[in-house]
Amino acid sequence: MFSRILQVVSVGCLCLFRAVSGYADGVESISVSTSPAQIQQILASFQEHGLPWGGPRSGPSARAGARVAIVSEDLRNGGVLGVTLGIREAAEVIGWSTRVYDAGGTPDGRGKAIEAASASRPDGMIIVGADVHSLSTRLAGLAQRGIAMVGWHVAPTAGVIADGPVAINVSTDPLEVARITALAAIAEARDPAGVVILTDSNFEIAMAKANAMAAIVRACATCTLLEIRDVAISRAADAMPEVTRELLTGYGMRWTHALAINDIYFDYAVPELIKAGRPSGSISLLSAGDGSPAAFLRIRAGTFQTATVAEPLNLQGWQLVDELNRLMAGEAVTGYVIPVHLVTAGNIAFDGGPRMSYDPDNGYRDIYRQIWKR
C-alpha cells in the first residue's frame, strides 16, 4: 500500500526527506525534494468521496438462526462501539441473535469476556479490538470446538490471518493509515514541526502504527520527533490531562503536532490545551483512527483537530458478519481490505459526515442484502 504514497512522494513533498531504511514493506530508501502542490496531490487521492463499492458481490446465502458472541475490547472506545453497533445492525438483517461481552479494556476483563462468551456456546464469535495474539491460548480451545471466528483490529496487518484461530482481521491497512496521517501533518506544517506520537503498547496494531508514523516524521528534514508517549487507551480519560500538561511544560511552543493511534486521546487533551491558552492554530491534532463523532465535531469546528483517518465502522460491522457467514457455510473469507480515507474540513460534508461518522455512500447495505438473499 505504501507504494501508492511513495509513488507521489518520490516526485513531490513539502520538505526534504532524508534517506531512510527499514520500512516493513520492503521499501529500502527514499531521498527526494518535492513541492507543496505535489504532496497535496497524494493526500487528495485519499480524500475522495462517493467512491464505488470495491468489495464482494457474491457469496453464500444467510445461515439463519445463528448465535454469535461479540467480544468487545472496551465499549467506551468509539471505534469499538461503532463496529459493535454495525455488527448488530447487520446481524438483525441476516437473521442472527447476538450477545455482547465487554472486556472493559483490561487483561482480566478480556479473560472473563472470552470465558463468558465461550460458555454461551455460540456458533460463531466476533472479536472487536482485542489483540488476538495475547488471547491465542484461550481462542485455540474455541477453535477446537468448531467455533468460527473473525475480528476487527485484532492484528498488526489487515486481511486474512494466515495462522491462528481467527480467520481475518477486518481493518483498513494500519500502516497506510499511519503513513497518511504523518504525511498530512508534514504537508500542513508551515514552520518546523515538533511532533508527539501517542500510542498504546498493549496492542501490536497500535505500535505498528506508531512506528510507521515515526519513520515518516524522522524522514522529514524540517520535522522533529519530540517523543513517542505510551498511554493505555483504557486509561486515556485519567492519564491524558496530566500527559498533556507535561508535554506543554516540556516542549512549549515547539510542540506543533500530535499524532495519535486513536481519536480518544484528543478528547481529554483538548480541554487542557484550552486551559493552557494554546490557540487552536498553534497545535494540530491528527489521528490514525478511528473517526469518532467527537473527532468529526472538532474537525468541523476547526478546534485543534485537523484530520482523522476514519474507519468505516458500520460498514466494517457488516463485513464482519459477511465474513463469519462465509466461514459457517464452509467457505473462505474474502480478505477484502477497505481503502483508507482521510477526513478533513474539505470533505467532512460527505459519506456520513453530517451524521458525525465515516459511512461510505456506496450502497454496501443493499449489496450485502443481495449476497445474503435478505
Side-chain angles (χ1 to χ4, degrees):
M1 288 292 187
F2 188 50
S3 59
R4 183 180 175 194
I5 302 174
L6 185 62
Q7 183 178 6
V8 178
V9 170
S10 65
V11 295
C13 177
L14 182 63
C15 58
L16 281 171
F17 276 85
R18 305 181 184 96
V20 297
S21 61
Y23 284 104
D25 56 4
V27 177
E28 293 184 356
S29 66
I30 54 175
S31 182
V32 291
S33 177
T34 58
S35 71
Q38 290 169 320
I39 196 69
Q40 292 301 332
Q41 179 185 351
I42 184 63
L43 293 173
S45 72
F46 287 90
Q47 296 178 66
E48 295 178 6
H49 55 83
L51 295 176
W53 171 247
R57 291 184 175 271
S58 62
S61 301
R63 174 178 170 174
R67 293 174 296 109
V68 175
I70 305 169
V71 176
S72 295
E73 169 65 15
D74 190 344
L75 291 174
R76 294 169 297 180
N77 181 304
V80 171
L81 177 61
V83 171
T84 301
L85 292 174
I87 294 168
R88 299 197 73 169
E89 179 185 277
E92 184 175 350
V93 171
I94 203 171
W96 294 352
S97 62
T98 60
R99 185 169 179 179
V100 179
Y101 301 86
D102 183 11
T106 68
D108 183 57
R110 285 180 212 116
K112 290 180 178 178
I114 292 290
E115 288 177 7
S118 175
S120 72
R121 306 191 69 80
D123 299 300
M125 181 179 293
I126 303 176
I127 300 168
V128 183
D131 191 331
V132 293
H133 178 73
S134 66
L135 300 172
S136 57
T137 302
R138 295 177 184 274
L139 298 181
L142 296 174
Q144 290 172 0
R145 287 167 44 192
I147 298 174
M149 286 177 277
V150 298
W152 177 85
H153 283 209
V154 295
T157 57
V160 175
I161 300 176
D163 53 5
V166 179
I168 185 172
N169 178 35
V170 171
S171 172
T172 51
D173 183 332
L175 297 186
E176 188 170 51
V177 167
R179 288 162 178 157
I180 280 297
T181 303
L183 205 60
I186 290 168
E188 70 176 26
R190 294 182 296 273
D191 298 305
V195 181
V196 170
I197 296 174
L198 300 165
T199 190
D200 183 346
S201 62
N202 291 302
F203 302 95
E204 285 189 74
I205 190 171
M207 294 308 298
K209 283 184 179 181
N211 291 334
M213 288 190 285
I216 293 291
V217 174
R218 290 188 180 110
C220 172
T222 59
C223 305
T224 300
L225 180 59
L226 300 174
E227 69 173 275
I228 299 175
R229 181 63 71 98
D230 185 6
V231 181
I233 289 175
S234 61
R235 293 194 59 250
D238 295 328
M240 278 308 298
E242 181 178 353
V243 167
T244 305
R245 291 192 293 270
E246 289 176 358
L247 293 171
L248 287 168
T249 300
Y251 299 114
M253 297 303 288
R254 292 176 58 213
W255 181 24
T256 66
H257 290 78
L259 308 181
I261 54 93
N262 192 289
D263 291 299
I264 195 169
Y265 294 107
F266 300 150
D267 295 350
Y268 307 103
V270 166
E272 296 303 319
L273 294 174
I274 293 171
K275 289 178 188 176
R278 282 294 294 263
S280 210
S282 70
I283 188 167
S284 181
L285 313 180
L286 301 93
S287 175
D290 292 319
S292 68
F296 273 68
L297 283 169
R298 287 189 291 267
I299 293 168
R300 185 183 294 279
T303 305
F304 292 102
Q305 189 161 358
T306 57
T308 182
V309 183
E311 296 278 27
L313 302 173
N314 199 76
L315 187 164
Q316 289 171 329
W318 281 66
Q319 183 184 352
L320 286 160
V321 168
D322 181 67
E323 303 288 8
L324 189 59
N325 187 60
R326 291 170 191 271
L327 289 176
M328 291 192 294
E331 297 189 11
V333 294
T334 69
Y336 177 57
V337 177
I338 297 166
V340 169
H341 184 68
L342 177 67
V343 175
T344 67
N347 65 359
I348 201 168
F350 304 97
D351 289 316
R355 299 185 298 277
M356 301 301 157
S357 67
Y358 173 46
D359 194 23
D361 294 328
N362 56 20
Y364 68 86
R365 290 178 177 85
D366 290 337
I367 292 168
Y368 278 126
R369 282 178 180 271
Q370 291 167 9
I371 293 173
W372 303 334
K373 295 180 175 55
R374 290 294 185 180

